Amino acid sequence: MFRARGIIAIMMKMNWKLALITFAVLPVIAYATKIFRDKVRDSYRRIRTASPHQFLFAGSGLGDAGLQLFNREKRAFNKFSDINASHMEAYKDAIMAYAVYYQWLNFYRRLRC
């Protein structure tokens, strides 16, 4: 924190107008970061929830003779497909959050230069 105060003081002393313009964008970046963090946290929670369900379902005898014997293959396939789809959606949401956030920051960085 002490270094940040020193940097702020030096920036204000060198060119206070430019320093204020630079500091004016910090709330926008903080808000975008909060939105990004919330989206990614939610998607990673969903990934951590869906991933064990995939492994448990696959390990519980997906190709068992019992499934074939009682003609439950279609139902097991549909259940696994639902679990897999929720896992995939959570990953896609995380990837989208990263793509949007970093592209926005990169655009903003280029806009300032």
Side-chain angles (χ1 to χ4, degrees), residues 79-93:
K79 186 175 179 184
F80 186 73
S81 293
D82 291 341
I83 293 170
N84 197 29
S86 68
H87 190 252
M88 182 183 66
E89 284 300 318
Y91 260 116
K92 284 176 21 182
D93 290 345

Side-chain angles (χ1 to χ4, degrees), residues 41-51 86 89-90 93:
R41 182 185 303 144
D42 176 56
S43 62
Y44 280 145
R45 282 183 183 155
R46 289 187 291 137
I47 289 168
R48 285 192 307 268
T49 302
S51 189
S86 68
E89 284 300 318
D93 290 345

Side-chain angles (χ1 to χ4, degrees), residues 33-78:
T33 302
K34 183 187 178 330
I35 292 173
F36 166 74
R37 185 180 64 213
D38 293 344
K39 297 271 186 193
V40 168
R41 182 185 303 144
D42 176 56
S43 62
Y44 280 145
R45 282 183 183 155
R46 289 187 291 137
I47 289 168
R48 285 192 307 268
T49 302
S51 189
H53 290 293
Q54 278 182 320
F55 292 122
L56 285 173
F57 189 80
S60 68
L62 187 59
D64 237 359
L67 288 175
Q68 295 172 356
L69 180 64
F70 294 112
N71 199 15
R72 296 178 59 174
E73 293 170 320
K74 185 73 170 171
R75 188 166 37 172
F77 177 78
N78 290 338

